[in-house]
Amino acid sequence: MSDDQPSSPSSDSLCPGCQGEGSLLLPCGHTLCQACLQLCQEELGQDGPGCTECYGRELLDSVLKGLLDSLFEGQLRQVGSSVESGETAEDGDLCRQHREKLTQYCMEDEELICDQCQGEEHEDHECSSIEEATQECKVRNRCIILQQAQKTVRLIKENFEKLHQFLHDEEISMLRALSEEEEQKSQKMKEKMDKLTDAIMTLREAISSTEEAMTPVILDPNTADVCVTLSDDLTTIRYTEEEQQVPDNPERFCFYDCVLGSEGFSSGRHSWDVEVGDCSEWALGVVKESVQRKEWLPPSPEHSMWTICLCGGEYRARTPTSAPLTLKKKPQKIRVQLDWEAGRVMFSDAGDNSLLYKYKQKFTEKVFPYFSNTCKRHPLVAS
């Protein structure tokens, strides 16, 4: 075993620091347990004395030396084999007042005194021999060092525990904030997706409803004015100046140059398109089944006719005021929409679905699609 290493612990020896069993025998001859030895090394450093008694002795010697130096400052003392200022080295161990050997230590004044000083001005003070004072100082210093070391270890542990707790709390807080942010973003994304899905479904329903409401219109030749002709498939109406030789049946119109659809409506929603193209004079809409057919009356809701027209280069709603309609562009195809229960007749440009005009009317009887063409060059086509 190296001389610098402590011997194995002895079960019979007690540590002078913590009074625990199993202390080690140090190279200096003193004993100390492994825990106290480690605290001393941490407090004093690996290069410092590992023994508290040795450290206390060195500290006490340093204190006593400083105390003696201050007591005998300016006195003649012998150093080595020479004499300094006529005072021998033994004078440093003598009382300056009584020239007697310093044998006592005054606890109250914290100074070295002789027996005569102890019997005079230090009579009421607590005094002890220098050996006892030295031993007490060692024990006190050892306890202070151990207490400081233990306090330091406790503070370090407490600070690290606080740091660990802080980091743990921060981790939880950041993870919670991240989770909440992710949940909020997911919720917003879900809401947007739900709105988009609803919009798509609404659009699909509208398209489906429109497709279902689209009504193939077949023209009724029995209602055609004598100045119009119909195509063989009964979808196209043309104007002619030559009157047709047709029976004068009750359903036929006179003076309006028009024709009705073959099917009337007394419920539901219906829609049909009419290709107007370059036709320069036309009228479209719906009329009541009981509309006057054999004499001419101004076309208007008052006379059971809800129509719009192009006449003289202007688009108009056929109302008593007959105000011109403002259109962004010339429509090529007009869409007529009928909602019988709601009492609405709407006209729109089938190209961009822009609204041209809307009638509001409560219907009480069947109505029929209405078509009129007085353009000599171009036809109207119902679809």
Side-chain angles (χ1 to χ4, degrees), residues 134-145:
T134 301
Q135 185 63 28
E136 184 178 351
C137 183
K138 288 180 180 179
V139 174
R140 185 184 306 155
N141 288 335
R142 181 171 60 224
C143 293
I144 291 174
I145 291 173

Side-chain angles (χ1 to χ4, degrees), residues 30-46:
H30 300 116
T31 58
L32 205 63
C33 71
Q34 183 64 41
C36 293
L37 178 61
Q38 184 177 355
L39 289 176
C40 290
Q41 291 177 342
E42 291 176 353
E43 180 69 21
L44 305 177
Q46 295 292 340

Side-chain angles (χ1 to χ4, degrees), residues 208-219:
S208 176
S209 177
T210 301
E211 289 176 347
E212 291 176 359
M214 290 297 291
T215 305
V217 176
I218 301 299
L219 302 178

